[in-house]
Amino acid sequence: MNRIFSGVQPTGNLHLGNYLGAIRNWVRLQEDFDCIFCVVDMHAITVFQDPAALRTSTREVAAAMIASGIDPKANIIFNQSRNPSHAELAWVFNCVARLGWLNRMTQFKEKAGKNKENASVGLYAYPNLMAADILAYKATHVPVGEDQKQHLELTRDIATKFNNDFQVDLFPLPEPQIFGTATRVMSLRDGTKKMSKSDPSALSRISMTDDADTIAKKIRKAKTDPEPLPDNKDGFEGRPEAANLMGIYAALDDTDLDAVIAQYGGQQFSTFKQALADLAVAKLGPIGDEMQRLMDDSGHLDAILEDGGQRARAITQPILKEVYEVVGFLG
Ligand code: TRP
């Protein structure tokens, strides 16, 4: 049986890049798989989080998934800390993974920066918790971006070592689930930089909760160049903004770049921007409205997460019991 597990950090300020690069792909996964979508609040606190902001961001990510079309009844949506199995298995994996393995993790090096001595132990052990997230469900497929591939490799190493050390065949080796269609969305102010929640300019990104006027304004003000739009792919050379805006159009319209070039190649940016703004408002407006509605009723949203958490626990508790027996714990 195939089971998908995916974790997403509770970052506030979800934007078009999060939607087209990740969330929208998960919506499609639910057609073919049993999916578990986990808002990883325990991973979030590996660097300090303001408690109130963490609660809000956790709800915002859950609301974004639901508003985008993930069905929380057919799938499981919950926040990580509701299921203690993650922490329990992570401890076992702390004792399986080797220091040398974690020392090679490039994300730790990036996040810890120069002052490694001052990084939290949790940040260092982060990949072990991620392995626990996945393996507590015996998940077989994990949708991950490029930046998480090394962590997934480590997950496979941990599963292999556990199975070998205890001479069991308990954990499957999870495979990355790669998307052909994931779109890399760049900043609206600089087509060479990724769209980011931390960019100081709000004009650089379209937030998932922006209203129609704001979406249209940001697209109108998006950086362009003086030439008409290219009429073939080679024409994107040296024109990152044209490539980005046409790429966004293609993704939102569920078509490919060739189709957008065929329709708008050779035209002025002004005409195209109007069409892109209309399309973006039509696609994102209803999602933003629904997110807002869900966030305004946090009691209802929390009940969905609690229900998801219970169903998550029902899957992992027997697996944890199996692990504890194999390790030699009494109980
Ligand atoms: N580390 C992932 C990220 O930063 C989030 C994550 C945590 C995750 N646990 C996971 C992703 C398990 C996939 C599976 O994006």
Side-chain angles (χ1 to χ4, degrees), residues 192-213:
T192 63
K193 285 200 309 202
K194 249 175 100 167
M195 186 174 283
S196 158
K197 66 159 187 138
S198 48
D199 192 305
S201 166
L203 285 176
S204 72
R205 64 185 160 261
I206 294 174
S207 292
M208 286 186 72
T209 48
D210 279 346
D211 61 24
D213 287 348

Side-chain angles (χ1 to χ4, degrees), residues 5-9 26 38-40 43 80 86 107 111 126-127 129-134 141-145 147-148 151-152 155:
F5 182 96
S6 190
V8 56
Q9 295 258 8
W26 301 338
C38 178
V39 187
V40 293
H43 278 100
Q80 189 180 27
H86 295 248
Q107 183 172 295
K111 283 200 182 174
Y126 178 114
L129 178 59
M130 177 162 160
D133 295 340
I134 298 164
H141 293 79
V142 181
V144 283
D147 64 324
Q148 295 299 314
H151 289 160
L152 192 61
T155 302

Side-chain angles (χ1 to χ4, degrees), residues 44-322:
I45 64 160
T46 55
V47 295
F48 182 79
Q49 302 291 330
D50 172 76
L54 178 60
R55 268 187 283 274
T56 303
S57 307
T58 302
R59 290 188 182 118
E60 184 180 317
V61 171
M65 292 195 276
I66 297 165
S68 301
I70 297 175
D71 176 357
K73 292 212 169 71
N75 306 279
I76 293 178
I77 298 178
F78 74 111
N79 55 303
Q80 189 180 27
S81 58
R82 279 185 198 270
N83 182 359
S85 297
H86 295 248
E88 291 168 356
L89 189 57
W91 178 258
V92 176
F93 288 169
N94 283 344
C95 304
V96 173
R98 306 289 91 183
L99 283 178
W101 299 0
L102 290 180
N103 284 338
R104 286 194 285 276
M105 295 296 116
T106 54
Q107 183 172 295
F108 174 75
K109 290 179 202 166
E110 279 160 26
K111 283 200 182 174
K114 283 204 176 62
N115 195 358
K116 266 208 281 205
E117 296 292 310
N118 196 39
S120 74
V121 175
L123 188 65
Y124 186 70
Y126 178 114
N128 294 345
L129 178 59
M130 177 162 160
D133 295 340
I134 298 164
L135 295 172
Y137 299 84
K138 298 190 179 179
T140 55
H141 293 79
V142 181
V144 283
E146 242 353 274
D147 64 324
Q148 295 299 314
K149 275 202 179 144
Q150 194 186 31
H151 289 160
L152 192 61
E153 273 306 312
L154 185 93
T155 302
R156 294 165 60 91
D157 290 343
I158 289 174
T160 304
K161 182 163 163 54
F162 182 95
N163 288 345
N164 280 339
D165 283 354
F166 296 102
Q167 289 295 302
V168 290
D169 189 18
L170 203 155
F171 293 119
L173 301 187
E175 304 278 347
Q177 172 87 22
I178 308 286
F179 295 107
T181 54
T183 308
R184 218 172 120 82
V185 179
M186 312 306 279
S187 158
L188 299 181
R189 306 301 300 166
D190 177 351
T192 63
K193 285 200 309 202
K194 249 175 100 167
M195 186 174 283
S196 158
K197 66 159 187 138
S198 48
D199 192 305
S201 166
L203 285 176
S204 72
R205 64 185 160 261
I206 294 174
S207 292
M208 286 186 72
T209 48
D210 279 346
D211 61 24
D213 287 348
T214 310
I215 294 173
K217 182 180 91 185
K218 286 177 176 175
I219 290 175
R220 216 167 39 242
K221 295 199 175 229
K223 186 178 171 198
T224 53
D225 60 47
E227 304 296 319
L229 292 169
D231 54 15
N232 65 69
K233 274 187 183 157
D234 294 339
F236 286 129
E237 188 62 36
R239 303 186 64 191
E241 284 80 21
N244 187 37
L245 294 178
M246 290 177 99
I248 291 172
Y249 190 102
L252 284 173
D253 202 31
D254 251 318
T255 171
D256 57 22
L257 213 43
D258 291 319
V260 183
I261 292 172
Q263 196 176 352
Y264 292 102
Q267 297 197 24
Q268 299 302 320
F269 268 108
S270 53
T271 322
F272 173 68
K273 277 179 160 182
Q274 188 55 55
L276 178 59
D278 291 345
L279 178 64
V281 167
K283 296 282 175 170
L284 299 174
I287 295 175
D289 291 348
E290 179 62 7
M291 265 178 84
Q292 203 52 61
R293 202 186 62 75
L294 287 160
M295 304 246 290
D296 288 344
D297 187 357
S298 63
H300 174 66
L301 196 52
D302 291 359
I304 292 175
L305 297 175
E306 172 53 25
D307 173 65
Q310 272 182 28
R311 288 188 287 134
R313 285 201 292 279
I315 296 173
T316 58
Q317 270 167 353
I319 295 172
L320 258 291
K321 194 166 182 324
E322 221 184 327

